[in-house]
Amino acid sequence: MRAVFVMIKCDLGKAYEVAEQAVETVPEVSEVHSTSGQYDLLAKFYLDDETDIGRFVTERVQTLPGVADTFTLITFNAFTRDSSPAGTRLA
Amino acid sequence: MRAVFVMIKCDLGKAYEVAEQAVETVPEVSEVHSTSGQYDLLAKFYLDDETDIGRFVTERVQTLPGVADTFTLITFNAFTRDSSPAGTRLA
Amino acid sequence: MRAVFVMIKCDLGKAYEVAEQAVETVPEVSEVHSTSGQYDLLAKFYLDDETDIGRFVTERVQTLPGVADTFTLITFNAFTRDSSPAGTRLA
Amino acid sequence: MRAVFVMIKCDLGKAYEVAEQAVETVPEVSEVHSTSGQYDLLAKFYLDDETDIGRFVTERVQTLPGVADTFTLITFNAFTRDSSPAGTRLA
Amino acid sequence: MRAVFVMIKCDLGKAYEVAEQAVETVPEVSEVHSTSGQYDLLAKFYLDDETDIGRFVTERVQTLPGVADTFTLITFNAFTRDSSPAGTRLA
Amino acid sequence: MRAVFVMIKCDLGKAYEVAEQAVETVPEVSEVHSTSGQYDLLAKFYLDDETDIGRFVTERVQTLPGVADTFTLITFNAFTRDSSPAGTRLA
Amino acid sequence: MRAVFVMIKCDLGKAYEVAEQAVETVPEVSEVHSTSGQYDLLAKFYLDDETDIGRFVTERVQTLPGVADTFTLITFNAFTRDSSPAGTRLA
Amino acid sequence: MRAVFVMIKCDLGKAYEVAEQAVETVPEVSEVHSTSGQYDLLAKFYLDDETDIGRFVTERVQTLPGVADTFTLITFNAFTRDSSPAGTRLA
């Protein structure tokens, strides 16, 4: 599994509805935060190594009602306190 | 508790050392990822509501050996599948 | 109280109307400036420590008629000539 | 008088020292905030209409010990609750 | 007189029409270039020192048909080969 | 011939259709990639030295159905393993 | 194989030396261009699907003499005229 | 001849010296302005169509004492009031 972060700008006034909807309807969602800065939300997804990330963002995230723009941040390796780094394979 | 994300640019060639060190020496770290884009790392911290986030980033993150630049992203509210949104208080 | 800056891009030609409206209708506004750069306006708000800033920006600022985009800048600590730094609590 | 905002990135770990120093030594400072995002500080200055802003930022702000980078945001007009907009002349 | 540069993003496919129109209809235009990068055009205007630049950009540039977004760059001082620097007063 | 890269943001959910269409209908296309970051696609074109690149991007790329925004990156010189650098003239 | 683009800012005046060196010493390089914009060079690499891209950029690209900063752009899928899209597997 | 704009960030406190020096020592300079925003200076150069712009910026601009960073903006076509657009060939 690979963690992918997507920063999401929403239609004006719709960020909290988009966040709730993403959590309810996209099973790959791990967490969503409303944030400071240029984007309204930061969402974290866990995707299979075989998933085409571009297609996932384009067809599964950008098509959520109220999404206006996205910025995709790919992770290569996860470092956590209780585990030695072992690539992005977390499962 | 409030989740804060810090994107970190490291001295050239040092990103993986910084990631390992952050995980080992900063107790507030929740996770660190190496990432695509302008920054080398994305780190997530959980801070007390009373913590001065600017001081934390300036004095505890920017002073890690090998850190060259930081971008701080504040979260206001966390949405997760199994919980109703309840502000950033996660504890 | 916490100072929050929001940079605002407006519908084309509407920046001055938005500025006047924000000042008249949003009690948390402290000041609004028209500015150089990517955004048309820089607005400063004072919010209670308990206010969910994301929800305030989404539901109170982005919904002003003529607002097209926002960028939120959180302050952690205020430094002024006649006072020792004391967190963002100004009241 | 014209309000000018300067976003300041500081040498690693030095942001709070720079903020205190700016407030103490630059009479044109109105307020300084530590902030989220790409820069560490947001400072507001009031300058005479005759002041060459580029020279002020270059020779008076960038030369403060601990300053690493600046971004200058010019204001054209100030809108406040208790006054009709009247250009940037506030005095 | 003060030189002001405005980077302009146009409605898709309309950049050359906007450029020609700006040159024909805005007397303050000095030159317009189509450019690489995020914006389609870079336009240079000469404005009186008394002109409210924010209002000029909002009401005279953003309202040109086909303009979609603007970024305003203020100049403080002009340096040219055959003249000693003397502020932005060129006339 | 000169290589020009154009980063393309597409209408929500349409990136893969735009990519396929660009490849099929624009003869100057060399390759198109879906990418991480702010834009959905990175396209590489080879243009004659006489081509007005601004006009090409404005009238031939921005007018493809589903394109929402573009960022143009000009190349000056190409370096490849099996050839000495020789300007952008590759043909 | 997966195409990865890295935009490279070089030590002042060193971009062409870095480009030549990258082509000569990094076997994964496919092509390098000097470019307009914020970065000096755009380099394209082909990496095995198993390669940790973050480690490659950190330890193999950032350590080239004369490199000052990097921005990594991941590709998910390649579209070319004479082939149906088939993920980033090009070999 | 082709107009090329280069935005220049200077060593702290050195912007006005760099501007004067560029005007005196680089014959291709047309004008230099100190500016608001992320960069200190905006310089305009006129280059022959045969000039490798990347090499010019790297070897002639970045090597001026006091220059810290550059951003290159290429122009494709110039529009002026008293002339029909005719590509960037101005001579």
Side-chain angles (χ1 to χ4, degrees):
Chain A
M1 300 290 281
R2 175 189 289 272
V4 174
F5 288 89
V6 182
M7 294 192 281
I8 302 174
K9 195 187 286 291
C10 300
D11 291 342
L12 298 167
K14 298 295 183 195
Y16 278 54
E17 293 175 28
V18 171
E20 288 171 23
Q21 189 181 49
V23 162
E24 283 170 21
T25 66
V26 183
E28 293 88 345
V29 164
S30 163
E31 60 193 70
V32 179
H33 301 270
S34 58
T35 63
S36 62
Q38 187 177 356
Y39 293 87
D40 300 307
L41 302 175
L42 175 64
K44 183 182 177 186
F45 302 91
Y46 281 104
L47 303 181
D48 284 336
D49 289 1
E50 281 73 39
T51 302
D52 177 333
I53 300 170
R55 188 178 291 276
F56 175 80
V57 173
T58 298
E59 299 184 356
R60 300 283 306 286
V61 180
Q62 291 186 351
T63 53
L64 287 170
V67 169
D69 196 5
T70 62
F71 185 110
T72 307
L73 205 63
I74 307 305
T75 69
F76 305 125
N77 205 322
F79 304 79
T80 56
R81 184 155 309 107
D82 38 308
S83 68
S84 54
T88 56
R89 280 149 196 87
L90 300 178
Chain B
M1 301 290 280
R2 177 190 287 273
V4 173
F5 289 89
V6 182
M7 295 192 279
I8 303 173
K9 194 187 287 291
C10 300
D11 291 341
L12 298 168
K14 298 296 184 194
Y16 278 53
E17 293 175 28
V18 171
E20 288 172 22
Q21 190 182 48
V23 162
E24 283 170 22
T25 66
V26 183
E28 293 88 345
V29 164
S30 163
E31 60 193 69
V32 179
H33 301 270
S34 57
T35 63
S36 62
Q38 188 177 355
Y39 294 87
D40 299 309
L41 302 175
L42 175 65
K44 184 184 178 185
F45 301 91
Y46 280 103
L47 303 181
D48 283 337
D49 288 1
E50 281 73 39
T51 302
D52 177 334
I53 300 171
R55 189 177 291 277
F56 175 80
V57 172
T58 297
E59 299 184 358
R60 300 282 306 286
V61 180
Q62 290 185 354
T63 54
L64 287 171
V67 169
D69 195 6
T70 62
F71 184 111
T72 307
L73 203 64
I74 307 305
T75 68
F76 306 124
N77 204 321
F79 303 79
T80 56
R81 186 157 305 110
D82 36 307
S83 69
S84 54
T88 56
R89 282 150 195 86
L90 299 178
Chain C
M1 300 290 280
R2 176 190 289 273
V4 173
F5 289 89
V6 182
M7 295 191 280
I8 303 174
K9 195 188 285 292
C10 300
D11 291 342
L12 298 167
K14 299 294 184 196
Y16 278 51
E17 294 176 27
V18 171
E20 288 171 22
Q21 190 181 49
V23 162
E24 284 169 21
T25 67
V26 183
E28 293 89 344
V29 164
S30 162
E31 60 192 72
V32 178
H33 301 270
S34 58
T35 63
S36 63
Q38 188 177 355
Y39 293 87
D40 300 307
L41 302 174
L42 175 64
K44 183 183 178 185
F45 302 91
Y46 281 103
L47 303 182
D48 284 336
D49 288 3
E50 281 72 39
T51 302
D52 177 333
I53 300 171
R55 188 178 291 277
F56 175 80
V57 173
T58 297
E59 299 185 355
R60 300 281 308 285
V61 180
Q62 291 185 352
T63 53
L64 287 171
V67 170
D69 196 6
T70 62
F71 184 111
T72 307
L73 205 63
I74 307 305
T75 68
F76 305 125
N77 205 322
F79 304 79
T80 56
R81 184 154 310 107
D82 38 307
S83 68
S84 54
T88 57
R89 279 150 199 88
L90 300 179
Chain D
M1 300 290 279
R2 178 190 286 275
V4 173
F5 289 89
V6 182
M7 295 192 279
I8 303 174
K9 194 186 285 293
C10 300
D11 291 342
L12 298 168
K14 299 295 184 195
Y16 278 51
E17 293 176 27
V18 172
E20 288 172 21
Q21 190 181 51
V23 163
E24 284 169 22
T25 67
V26 183
E28 293 89 344
V29 163
S30 162
E31 60 192 70
V32 179
H33 301 271
S34 58
T35 63
S36 62
Q38 187 177 353
Y39 294 87
D40 299 308
L41 302 174
L42 175 64
K44 183 183 177 184
F45 303 91
Y46 280 103
L47 303 181
D48 284 337
D49 289 2
E50 283 70 39
T51 302
D52 178 333
I53 301 172
R55 189 178 291 277
F56 174 81
V57 173
T58 297
E59 298 184 358
R60 300 281 307 286
V61 180
Q62 291 184 354
T63 53
L64 287 171
V67 169
D69 196 7
T70 62
F71 183 110
T72 307
L73 203 64
I74 308 306
T75 69
F76 305 125
N77 204 322
F79 304 80
T80 55
R81 186 156 307 109
D82 37 309
S83 68
S84 55
T88 56
R89 281 149 195 87
L90 299 178
Chain E
M1 300 291 280
R2 177 190 287 274
V4 173
F5 289 89
V6 182
M7 295 192 279
I8 303 174
K9 195 188 285 292
C10 300
D11 291 342
L12 298 168
K14 299 295 183 194
Y16 277 53
E17 293 175 29
V18 171
E20 288 171 22
Q21 190 181 47
V23 162
E24 283 169 23
T25 67
V26 183
E28 294 88 345
V29 164
S30 163
E31 59 192 72
V32 179
H33 301 271
S34 57
T35 62
S36 63
Q38 187 177 354
Y39 294 87
D40 299 308
L41 302 175
L42 175 64
K44 183 183 178 185
F45 302 91
Y46 280 103
L47 303 181
D48 283 337
D49 289 2
E50 282 71 39
T51 302
D52 178 333
I53 300 172
R55 189 178 291 276
F56 175 80
V57 173
T58 298
E59 299 185 357
R60 300 282 306 287
V61 181
Q62 291 184 354
T63 53
L64 287 171
V67 169
D69 196 6
T70 61
F71 184 111
T72 306
L73 204 64
I74 308 305
T75 69
F76 306 125
N77 205 321
F79 304 79
T80 55
R81 185 155 308 110
D82 36 310
S83 69
S84 56
T88 55
R89 280 150 197 85
L90 300 178
Chain F
M1 299 290 281
R2 177 190 286 274
V4 173
F5 289 89
V6 182
M7 295 191 280
I8 303 173
K9 195 187 286 291
C10 300
D11 291 341
L12 298 167
K14 298 296 184 196
Y16 277 53
E17 292 175 27
V18 171
E20 287 172 22
Q21 190 181 49
V23 162
E24 282 170 22
T25 68
V26 183
E28 294 88 346
V29 165
S30 164
E31 59 193 72
V32 179
H33 301 270
S34 58
T35 63
S36 63
Q38 188 176 354
Y39 293 86
D40 299 308
L41 302 175
L42 174 65
K44 184 183 177 185
F45 301 91
Y46 280 104
L47 303 181
D48 284 337
D49 288 1
E50 282 72 38
T51 302
D52 178 334
I53 300 171
R55 189 178 290 277
F56 175 81
V57 172
T58 298
E59 299 185 357
R60 300 282 306 286
V61 180
Q62 291 185 352
T63 53
L64 287 171
V67 169
D69 196 5
T70 61
F71 185 110
T72 306
L73 204 64
I74 307 305
T75 69
F76 305 125
N77 205 322
F79 303 79
T80 55
R81 185 155 308 108
D82 36 307
S83 69
S84 55
T88 56
R89 281 150 195 83
L90 299 178
Chain G
M1 300 290 280
R2 176 190 288 271
V4 173
F5 289 89
V6 182
M7 295 191 280
I8 302 174
K9 195 188 286 290
C10 300
D11 291 342
L12 298 167
K14 299 296 183 193
Y16 278 53
E17 293 175 29
V18 171
E20 288 171 21
Q21 190 181 48
V23 161
E24 283 170 21
T25 66
V26 182
E28 293 89 344
V29 164
S30 163
E31 60 193 70
V32 179
H33 302 270
S34 58
T35 63
S36 62
Q38 187 177 356
Y39 293 88
D40 299 307
L41 303 175
L42 174 64
K44 183 181 176 186
F45 301 91
Y46 281 104
L47 303 181
D48 284 337
D49 289 1
E50 281 72 38
T51 302
D52 178 334
I53 300 170
R55 188 178 290 278
F56 175 80
V57 173
T58 298
E59 300 185 356
R60 300 282 306 286
V61 180
Q62 291 185 351
T63 53
L64 286 171
V67 169
D69 195 6
T70 61
F71 184 110
T72 307
L73 204 63
I74 307 305
T75 68
F76 306 125
N77 205 321
F79 303 78
T80 55
R81 184 157 308 109
D82 37 307
S83 69
S84 54
T88 56
R89 280 149 197 86
L90 299 179
Chain H
M1 299 290 278
R2 176 190 289 273
V4 173
F5 290 89
V6 182
M7 296 192 280
I8 302 174
K9 195 188 285 293
C10 299
D11 291 342
L12 298 168
K14 299 295 184 195
Y16 277 51
E17 294 175 29
V18 171
E20 288 171 23
Q21 190 181 50
V23 162
E24 283 170 22
T25 67
V26 183
E28 293 89 343
V29 164
S30 163
E31 60 192 69
V32 178
H33 302 270
S34 59
T35 63
S36 62
Q38 188 176 355
Y39 293 86
D40 300 307
L41 303 174
L42 175 64
K44 183 183 176 185
F45 303 91
Y46 281 103
L47 303 181
D48 283 336
D49 289 3
E50 282 71 40
T51 302
D52 178 334
I53 300 171
R55 188 177 292 275
F56 175 81
V57 172
T58 298
E59 299 185 356
R60 300 282 305 287
V61 180
Q62 291 185 352
T63 53
L64 287 170
V67 169
D69 196 6
T70 61
F71 184 110
T72 307
L73 205 62
I74 307 306
T75 68
F76 305 126
N77 205 321
F79 303 79
T80 56
R81 185 155 309 110
D82 38 308
S83 69
S84 53
T88 56
R89 279 148 197 88
L90 300 178

